[in-house]
Amino acid sequence: MLPVPQALQRPPEQTNLSAKYHPTSGYHYLLPDQPPPKNIFQEMLDHPLQQARETNLWYPFDGLGKWSLAKFLVENLSQMQINKFLKLDWVCLKRPQFKLKDELFYYMQQLPGRGPKWQCTKLKLKGYDSEQPIHLIWRDGLEVMKQLFANPVYANHMCYDPHYIYQDQEHQFGEFWTSNNAWEIQDQLPEGATIVPIIATSDKTPVTRHTGGLEMHPLFLTIGNIQADVRMKVTLHAWRCTAFMPIPTFIINSDFQTLLQSCLWHKCMDLVCSNLKVAAHVGKYMVDPSARLRYCFTLLISHIADLPKQLMIACVTKNLSPVTTATQKEFGAETPHPPRNGTETYVLIQSLCDRVDPRDLITFLREAKKLHLSGVHLPFWRNWRNCNPAKFLTPEILHALHKFFFDHVLKWIKQIMGHELDVCFKSHHKCTGMRHFSGGVSHVNQMTGQEHRNIQRTIVPMLWGAAIPGFIRAVRAMIDFISLAQNPLHTESSIASMAQALQDFHLNKQAILDAEARQGKGGAKDDFFIPKLELMQSFTCAVFNVGSFLQWTADISEHLLITHCKHLFERTSHQRDFILQIARILNREETIRLFDLYTLLYSSTSMPGQDPLINAVIMEDNEVASTETDPTLAWVSNVNPAAQLCVQGPRPVCNHFLKGILSDNARIAFNVTVKADRNRLDVSQLQSSYNLPDFAHALHLYATRSGCTLPGQLSFDIWLKFRIQLHSMFHPCRVMPSQQIHAEPPSSTFPRGNCDAMLSTQRVNGSYVAQVRAIFQLTLPRGSHVQVPGCLSQVLLYIQHFDFVVPGPEPSTGMWKVRQSYNQYPSQEGVIRRGSIIPLTDITHAVEIIPVYQGPLGKEVNSGNSLEVFDDYFLNNFTDKELYHSVSVISDN
């Protein structure tokens, strides 16, 4: 049995989805005269010390306690700190099994599950000396990928077959396996072959300041067979550190340093990936997580990198695009350019090498620049099957989109709005789960990907009243493009929308130049020669080739550099061989992780008759199986439930659908705490504490409308917040993390209450959007024999309404405007906001509304009252990817 691809995990009522699998892919084999294949955990049973582990599972350690201590010391302390700990008088009195670090490390070497061996190779570029010897610390890329491919932890999250998915009549693109490129590659391979897509990432990083500020290129590899949402979480260990590539200083003119370092990088990649290239040409039998033998071909399908690294890989100069034929003067063009062909690039390099000796750097580099080549004469991809930089240099969201926004779009907006931009950010209503920029954004120089997204989601409505409509439309079109590019699933329609958003930017970009918002060192610029803007032109084509872009973001490499380099260096002795020390630490960590899981599984007695070291593919309830979880935790929970607390890693999304309050169609779950925040308030207390003068009248109307009669004596239990949880719009079987909606009474921080906005299903009094003012449930006095009618016994909300400002979305921002709605009551002085009572289950979304700023803000406006003091607000459709899609559907309807 094979796991069902994520895109096909749909609720039974969704019948508009169909799939077509490649007919000759993914066979598994039994070779004659060969022992049965084994995954990496089964191979651990062949360890020479396995017999001793039949009586002591943790051998060579004397039981679980000694193993736990050894694991703690190795994972958390440096070698010097381990020795100091073991020499403490208290520790010596306990007579530990090991007395020195060397003895501890010797025991660690006796554990099974050791990965491919690290080795150190001394390199030299012929004819060029470096200030220090050049050492490459590396492992065989093929052996590393074989071990990862055979890891049963990922058995329930693997794919081996290209497949087309159709939603109605549209082709749906998600994982690499749903792309055209996967199908085309499979057509070229022998019948029954399995593609093992190689995904690489590397980035230059400083690893120490103590030994001369040394920098290097760590190389990380993974395989595209592992499901993307598992693969892209650092804590799930689906990436393998495969090499530490040096960045030496050569004894040569500084004009040639970058070229020689680039040549060395390609040479290192050649060495590390040499066997992967062989397997890509002739194939290699590899064992999968379920201990089946497959005939595999290891093809490079993605190298995740920022723009400078892409140029180095593509071997072209910085005034060219690495993936298209566009030159610098064409970077701002609205017309896409043809893709760059890697074969043609290498033909140019070969013809140049025939005319000029590459070792004659001055002449070779001068002639290379005439051909727009970087001067690298042996690119690592030249002899890798089906390897074309235009395809494997996949679009990258963090640098190509988020940092483009920060480096360019945000600067244009700062130029227009000045200090008022920070004032607007400070005044935003605070929403749980969203970053609030209480100090503004102008002073921030570096941001995470999440912080980029938090700025992008609110920037468009803030431009209203501060910029001309064309400028706003250009910014909105770019945010539309960035939002659509982050879709986890694409169809032909969404790809067309993404292309249209980029086209809209080009149609309105002149307004940015007219406002003199694009500034350079010499003043205002009159062009858009921006390399990353050119990269965006290739996004639509790339979806067809490699699937959605979320699986190629460089967020993962940023985290890997921290966990595998910067933090690890703190545990070394800071000596000259510290890179080798890092390699040993990584090796020990991998061994510890595998042995720890091995002991948890092998000690299981809960499933007699089943091999605990085989992670069986189990078809669970769709909703539970779709929650994002740690594959290791899921396996241990199934095989040895008593040991699941021993597994460290991310826990599943809390699933309120199991015990929460469900909507009528059971597609939305709500949660309030068992104990209310305030109990047994009467009507007058509730009205006064929340400043809701029409609450009693609204309650009477609700009861009348529901056909109920209110009991004589009433009190109310009050909650200050509740949670709403939805299924994903893109993966309907996936439960999304819940969102909080607050309804807090007036306080010193929030003079009119801290109350969030929501979207309702029913058009209550002509409104979809409302602000939640109170969350309550009716109760009766103790000892009362009267029963609360069913329509009044559920959790209810008092809401205040906003009316849509017709006839449609505001043209420049593309957002709906809503306006506070008021009622005039004869018994009241003046007007009050129109309120009503609805069931909690009528809510469909938590939404964000942003004031329609008409000019500079006064000092009295702040984050505590910004949802109260304005009349008009924008319904922000950029709050998150799910709501962006939902509001688009609502707008269409």
Side-chain angles (χ1 to χ4, degrees):
M1 184 183 296
L2 296 177
V4 177
Q6 189 181 73
L8 291 175
Q9 295 174 2
R10 297 297 169 109
E13 63 269 18
Q14 185 173 358
T15 58
N16 64 338
L17 211 65
S18 60
K20 175 186 177 184
Y21 279 80
H22 196 284
T24 62
S25 64
Y27 296 2
H28 50 87
Y29 299 84
L30 286 175
L31 299 181
D33 303 323
Q34 295 289 329
K38 297 179 180 180
N39 64 36
I40 60 172
F41 281 88
Q42 292 171 317
E43 286 182 345
M44 292 168 73
L45 296 177
D46 297 331
H47 192 267
L49 300 178
Q50 181 59 30
Q51 187 173 356
R53 292 192 184 95
E54 298 296 333
T55 54
N56 174 16
L57 187 58
W58 297 274
Y59 188 85
F61 297 97
D62 297 337
L64 176 59
K66 298 292 195 301
W67 161 242
S68 299
L69 175 62
K71 183 173 65 169
F72 172 81
L73 295 176
V74 172
E75 288 182 333
N76 295 281
L77 303 183
S78 68
Q79 297 183 31
M80 184 180 297
Q81 290 168 333
I82 292 173
N83 269 339
K84 285 183 178 180
F85 176 84
L86 293 175
K87 291 177 181 178
L88 293 174
D89 291 341
W90 182 86
V91 176
C92 293
L93 289 174
K94 296 292 182 180
R95 297 180 180 273
Q97 182 181 355
F98 35 85
K99 298 179 181 179
L100 294 171
K101 66 172 178 64
D102 293 333
E103 193 174 352
L104 169 60
F105 292 152
Y106 173 77
Y107 284 130
M108 283 289 174
Q109 290 176 349
Q110 309 310 308
L111 296 178
R114 302 183 66 80
K117 182 181 177 182
W118 285 91
Q119 51 192 310
C120 179
T121 301
K122 188 173 182 179
L123 299 177
K124 184 176 178 65
L125 288 184
K126 190 175 181 180
Y128 303 100
D129 295 325
S130 58
E131 292 182 357
Q132 299 291 336
I134 303 173
H135 294 286
L136 170 66
I137 310 297
W138 65 291
R139 301 191 284 179
D140 185 342
L142 178 61
E143 293 301 314
V144 174
M145 293 300 95
K146 283 173 63 178
Q147 187 198 38
L148 183 59
F149 189 72
N151 193 334
V153 166
Y154 308 109
N156 282 277
H157 303 273
M158 295 286 282
C159 186
Y160 310 101
D161 307 283
H163 50 275
Y164 286 150
I165 296 178
Y166 298 94
Q167 184 175 343
D168 295 323
Q169 300 299 317
E170 287 195 300
H171 186 178
Q172 192 180 88
F173 299 90
E175 299 262 359
F176 166 76
W177 300 95
T178 65
S179 68
N180 295 337
N181 201 21
W183 200 279
E184 291 169 3
I185 290 173
Q186 190 71 56
D187 285 340
Q188 300 171 26
L189 299 181
E191 180 178 348
T194 297
I195 304 173
V196 177
I198 303 300
I199 305 170
T201 185
S202 64
D203 199 3
K204 182 169 69 173
T205 182
V207 293
T208 172
R209 298 185 182 94
H210 300 283
T211 55
L214 188 63
E215 294 181 322
M216 60 184 180
H217 284 283
L219 173 67
F220 302 95
L221 298 179
T222 188
I223 53 176
N225 305 89
I226 301 173
Q227 192 173 298
D229 62 346
V230 172
R231 190 174 71 234
M232 299 309 289
K233 287 186 174 65
V234 175
T235 53
L236 301 186
H237 308 291
W239 290 80
R240 294 290 183 267
C241 186
T242 311
F244 293 96
M245 296 185 284
I247 307 176
T249 300
F250 289 93
I251 304 172
I252 197 171
N253 188 293
S254 59
D255 294 341
F256 304 106
Q257 286 288 346
T258 301
L259 172 57
L260 292 181
Q261 289 171 356
S262 299
C263 290
L264 178 63
W265 184 88
H266 281 271
K267 183 173 183 176
C268 291
M269 285 291 292
D270 251 339
L271 182 60
V272 174
C273 300
S274 58
N275 286 331
L276 286 172
K277 296 181 188 181
V278 174
H281 282 283
V282 301
K284 181 77 174 180
Y285 284 104
M286 294 166 59
V287 181
D288 73 7
S290 300
R292 298 187 179 98
L293 200 64
R294 296 178 182 271
Y295 187 37
C296 299
F297 289 77
T298 51
L299 295 109
L300 180 66
I301 55 116
S302 175
H303 195 299
I304 302 170
D306 58 12
L307 179 59
K309 193 65 172 288
Q310 288 184 349
L311 291 168
M312 185 190 78
I313 293 171
C315 302
V316 296
T317 55
K318 63 181 180 179
N319 60 349
L320 263 67
S321 165
V323 294
T324 72
T325 58
T327 60
Q328 184 175 6
K329 297 293 185 181
E330 300 168 316
F331 283 171
E334 59 188 65
T335 305
H337 291 82
R340 181 174 299 281
N341 191 310
T343 302
E344 293 177 0
T345 301
Y346 187 55
V347 168
L348 277 178
I349 293 173
Q350 285 181 308
S351 65
L352 177 60
C353 291
D354 291 339
R355 294 187 288 108
V356 182
D357 187 346
R359 290 173 294 184
D360 181 1
L361 276 187
I362 297 176
T363 307
F364 189 80
L365 187 57
R366 183 180 65 243
E367 295 301 313
K369 286 184 176 180
K370 293 178 182 178
L371 299 172
H372 302 291
L373 299 173
S374 66
V376 174
H377 64 286
L378 290 175
F380 79 91
W381 44 262
R382 68 193 183 281
N383 53 356
W384 202 328
R385 182 175 182 172
N386 283 82
C387 208
N388 182 0
K391 289 188 176 181
F392 74 72
L393 292 176
T394 45
E396 196 280 300
I397 289 174
L398 178 62
H399 294 96
L401 298 183
H402 294 320
K403 291 194 175 179
F404 168 83
F405 171 84
F406 182 80
D407 293 338
H408 298 284
V409 181
L410 188 58
K411 286 183 178 179
W412 304 336
I413 296 171
K414 289 178 183 177
Q415 189 70 24
I416 292 292
M417 295 187 66
H419 175 66
E420 196 64 23
L421 178 65
D422 286 336
V423 175
C424 290
F425 269 108
K426 293 176 185 179
S427 71
H428 280 174
H429 176 70
K430 296 180 180 180
C431 296
T432 302
M434 300 290 185
R435 164 76 186 273
H436 183 265
F437 293 92
S438 55
V441 296
S442 294
H443 67 285
V444 181
N445 293 322
Q446 285 189 324
M447 295 185 184
T448 65
Q450 185 61 46
E451 288 170 330
H452 285 299
R453 287 186 280 271
N454 283 328
I455 293 177
Q456 292 162 16
R457 69 182 180 84
T458 55
I459 200 75
V460 172
M462 283 193 296
L463 284 168
W464 173 261
I468 60 175
F471 187 102
I472 299 175
R473 282 194 291 269
V475 173
R476 186 203 74 200
M478 183 53 63
I479 302 298
D480 272 327
F481 180 83
I482 293 173
S483 299
L484 287 165
Q486 295 177 82
N487 280 2
L489 291 176
H490 280 284
T491 62
E492 279 100 340
S493 297
S494 69
I495 296 170
S497 298
M498 186 168 65
Q500 184 60 52
L502 188 59
Q503 186 68 19
D504 289 344
F505 170 81
H506 285 290
L507 290 174
N508 291 281
K509 66 185 180 185
Q510 184 59 40
I512 298 170
L513 300 181
D514 293 342
E516 297 186 347
R518 178 160 154 74
Q519 294 282 323
K521 293 181 180 178
K525 288 188 172 184
D526 61 354
D527 63 69
F528 282 93
F529 298 156
I530 305 173
K532 290 177 182 176
L533 188 58
E534 166 59 29
L535 286 181
M536 295 179 196
Q537 294 285 10
S538 62
F539 274 44
T540 53
C541 181
V543 176
F544 295 103
N545 287 332
V546 294
S548 66
F549 303 138
L550 281 179
Q551 58 189 322
W552 316 122
T553 178
D555 282 319
I556 188 74
S557 61
E558 301 285 334
H559 289 293
L560 288 168
L561 291 175
I562 294 172
T563 57
H564 286 69
C565 297
K566 297 175 183 177
H567 285 177
L568 287 181
F569 178 73
E570 297 171 2
R571 290 158 53 193
T572 66
S573 61
H574 296 196
Q575 301 300 318
R576 296 172 66 90
D577 67 338
F578 75 95
I579 295 181
L580 276 174
Q581 294 180 48
I582 288 178
R584 295 190 195 106
I585 291 172
L586 287 172
N587 206 26
R588 289 189 200 111
E589 284 188 346
E590 192 172 329
T591 301
I592 288 172
R593 190 166 58 250
L594 291 175
F595 185 69
D596 216 18
L597 180 55
Y598 165 82
T599 57
L600 292 177
L601 297 171
Y602 200 68
S603 60
S604 168
T605 58
S606 62
M607 301 184 71
Q610 178 179 320
D611 186 350
L613 303 182
I614 291 288
N615 188 2
V617 178
I618 298 174
M619 303 307 295
E620 303 180 51
D621 175 78
N622 281 341
E623 186 172 86
V624 177
S626 66
T627 53
E628 297 180 320
T629 187
D630 183 346
T632 304
L633 175 63
W635 187 10
V636 173
S637 301
N638 179 48
V639 174
N640 191 2
Q644 49 185 310
L645 293 179
C646 300
V647 179
Q648 295 182 352
R651 262 33 187 179
V653 171
C654 183
N655 191 351
H656 295 301
F657 284 88
L658 301 178
K659 295 183 180 180
I661 304 167
L662 300 185
S663 62
D664 293 339
N665 63 0
R667 299 298 297 168
I668 306 174
F670 305 88
N671 176 263
V672 293
T673 56
V674 174
K675 184 179 179 181
D677 296 296
R678 301 181 67 181
N679 297 103
R680 299 189 178 279
L681 274 67
D682 60 30
V683 172
S684 61
Q685 288 175 319
L686 193 152
Q687 288 191 155
S688 61
S689 61
Y690 278 83
N691 191 21
L692 303 175
D694 67 332
F695 176 82
H697 176 70
L699 183 62
H700 176 74
L701 286 180
Y702 174 75
T704 303
R705 191 168 61 245
S706 303
C708 301
T709 302
L710 287 172
Q713 293 184 335
L714 279 178
S715 61
F716 304 90
D717 288 343
I718 304 295
W719 288 269
L720 301 182
K721 61 187 176 183
F722 67 90
R723 288 185 174 273
I724 179 172
Q725 189 169 46
L726 308 174
H727 288 84
S728 171
M729 297 289 293
F730 299 98
H731 298 292
C733 275
R734 175 180 293 178
V735 177
M736 300 300 293
S738 61
Q739 296 173 285
Q740 276 190 10
I741 296 182
H742 292 259
E744 300 175 9
S747 63
S748 57
T749 307
F750 300 95
R752 302 189 193 180
N754 178 22
C755 303
D756 295 328
M758 60 83 180
L759 201 63
S760 174
T761 52
Q762 300 177 0
R763 240 184 170 180
V764 182
N765 295 330
S767 174
Y768 274 117
V769 178
Q771 196 173 6
V772 181
R773 288 292 179 182
I775 310 159
F776 63 94
Q777 188 174 35
L778 276 68
T779 61
L780 293 171
R782 291 184 178 91
S784 174
H785 298 291
V786 180
Q787 288 189 342
V788 177
C791 63
L792 299 176
S793 64
Q794 58 187 312
V795 178
L796 302 173
L797 306 176
Y798 176 87
I799 61 174
Q800 290 180 338
H801 298 280
F802 294 87
D803 293 327
F804 281 107
V805 178
V806 292
E810 193 281 319
S812 58
T813 61
M815 294 180 178
W816 288 90
K817 273 188 183 180
V818 294
R819 180 171 295 158
Q820 290 189 4
S821 184
Y822 293 90
N823 274 339
Q824 174 74 54
Y825 289 97
S827 60
Q828 303 285 339
E829 293 183 4
V831 296
I832 62 173
R833 287 189 59 182
R834 180 162 60 91
S836 65
I837 290 174
I838 63 171
L840 173 67
T841 52
D842 276 5
I843 294 182
T844 57
H845 289 89
V847 298
E848 181 182 42
I849 54 176
I850 296 177
V852 176
Y853 301 112
Q854 298 290 352
L857 291 182
K859 293 183 179 180
E860 69 280 1
V861 180
N862 56 52
S863 61
N865 63 14
S866 60
L867 286 193
E868 314 295 337
V869 298
F870 292 87
D871 287 327
D872 292 350
Y873 295 82
F874 284 112
L875 175 59
N876 185 15
N877 55 334
F878 293 115
T879 302
D880 59 53
K881 293 188 285 290
E882 297 286 331
L883 185 65
Y884 178 80
H885 184 74
S886 301
V887 172
S888 299
V889 173
I890 292 170
S891 299
D892 292 341
N893 293 334

